[in-house]
Amino acid sequence: MRMREYSETVPKPMVPIGYRPILWHVMKYYAHYGHKDFILCLGYKADVIKNYFLQYDECLSNDFVLSKGGKGVKLLASDIQDWRITFVDTGLTSNVGMRLKAVQKHLKGEKYFLANYSDGLSDVPLPTVINNFKRSGKTATFVGVKPKATFHLVDSDSNGLVKSIAHVRSGDARINGGFFVFKQEIFDYMKDGEELVEQPFHRLIAEKKLLSYKHDGFWGCMDTFKEKQELDDIFGRGVAPWVVWRGNGEGNGK
């Protein structure tokens, strides 16, 4: 309901930020760091996502030369030519854990793999996150970010007497930013029907196998139409921190 302006016609990952859907921005971020083999866990309006990539138009986000009265098009850069995308129907009502379990067979042979909610953007240094995780020997890690909310945290005693009040961002309270790195053994901690951050993560916590990477840089999610507008504004002004691929020859940064 918070994204009703779009959610009745397109799935949330396909809501546009600038020229492209937020899903594309997330994938471009990963591709910039060399991770170009994607598995999309599809559910609501899966056909919209499939058709988007089946009919992908490189010209929308790359410079090109038009000739012969429109019959000749020469791309000066490319977005997805070297991407490999596996489209998997993981169910209309499946939770995150169920969707991850549904694609387990496609991850066979991978010691490590990355996962993302696909509704948040960040400039978190992915190679550092991965290297720290590998050195830790843990089973899973996620990027912990400070919440963007304007709320205040209140600490009071049993009688309601307030002992302190502080902005939620002033302390070190963090939320799950939706960027994950997993070992294959994550599936050993998951049972059918379970939500990822509920039972499986609590089992990891009990065994001290869950890590959080603290990121104080940019992070923005798109849970509401207002947040979509904020991301649009940042992108439109050409100051989007998540556009890590800008200036390295991969398109023109649109």
Side-chain angles (χ1 to χ4, degrees):
M1 293 295 290
R2 290 177 296 178
M3 287 291 292
R4 190 168 183 175
E5 293 86 346
Y6 286 95
S7 61
E8 292 184 347
T9 56
V10 299
K12 187 177 180 181
M14 295 305 292
V15 173
I17 301 296
Y19 292 95
R20 298 292 191 188
I22 191 169
L23 174 62
W24 177 91
H25 288 264
V26 173
M27 295 171 76
K28 275 286 281 187
Y29 164 84
Y30 281 103
H32 169 74
Y33 291 112
H35 306 284
K36 303 178 181 181
D37 190 351
F38 301 96
I39 300 173
L40 300 185
C41 302
L42 306 179
Y44 177 67
K45 290 191 177 293
D47 59 309
V48 175
I49 298 177
K50 291 178 179 178
N51 285 327
Y52 176 79
F53 285 102
L54 286 171
Q55 302 170 16
Y56 190 81
D57 186 355
E58 292 269 22
C59 295
L60 290 181
S61 50
N62 289 288
D63 295 334
F64 63 95
V65 177
L66 186 71
S67 61
K68 300 178 182 178
K71 296 180 180 179
V73 177
K74 179 183 178 181
L75 284 168
L76 300 181
S78 177
D79 287 329
I80 70 171
Q81 287 295 327
D82 54 351
W83 293 8
R84 182 177 184 271
I85 309 174
T86 302
F87 299 81
V88 182
D89 184 354
T90 57
L92 284 174
T93 60
S94 300
N95 61 38
V96 174
M98 294 164 67
R99 295 189 191 284
L100 201 56
K101 285 285 287 184
V103 300
Q104 181 178 359
K105 62 182 179 181
H106 297 285
L107 294 163
K108 186 177 181 181
E110 299 288 345
K111 184 176 181 180
Y112 304 96
F113 64 93
L114 311 174
N116 195 287
Y117 285 156
S118 296
D119 65 354
L121 300 170
S122 179
D123 60 354
V124 61
L126 187 60
T128 302
V129 176
I130 295 172
N131 290 335
N132 284 356
F133 173 64
K134 288 181 176 180
R135 287 195 298 266
S136 75
K138 306 302 181 184
T139 299
T141 189
F142 63 89
V143 174
V145 298
K146 291 190 175 183
K148 294 174 65 65
T150 58
F151 302 115
H152 288 77
L153 294 176
V154 178
D155 182 20
S156 60
D157 62 20
S158 58
N159 296 316
L161 182 65
V162 175
K163 294 188 289 185
S164 67
I165 183 169
H167 192 282
V168 69
R169 289 182 59 86
S170 64
D172 199 36
R174 293 177 184 270
I175 61 174
N176 170 13
F179 288 69
F180 304 91
V181 187
F182 295 119
K183 276 186 178 178
Q184 185 73 216
E185 64 189 61
I186 182 64
F187 293 110
D188 297 335
Y189 293 83
M190 301 171 65
K191 296 181 181 179
D192 291 342
E194 292 182 342
E195 174 58 88
L196 176 65
V197 299
E198 295 297 331
Q199 299 93 336
F201 270 21
H202 281 86
R203 293 185 187 111
L204 291 172
I205 292 171
E207 296 186 18
K208 297 182 178 180
K209 291 187 176 181
L210 180 63
L211 197 68
S212 174
Y213 179 89
K214 294 183 179 181
H215 179 58
D216 292 322
F218 178 84
W219 177 83
C221 65
M222 194 182 64
D223 277 337
T224 66
F225 183 66
K226 179 182 177 181
E227 289 169 338
K228 178 261 192 295
Q229 290 179 309
E230 291 173 349
L231 292 174
D232 258 335
D233 179 61
I234 295 172
F235 185 78
R237 288 187 285 112
V239 293
W242 69 85
V243 185
V244 293
W245 57 88
R246 177 177 285 132
N248 71 345
E250 295 183 23
N252 58 10
K254 289 183 178 178

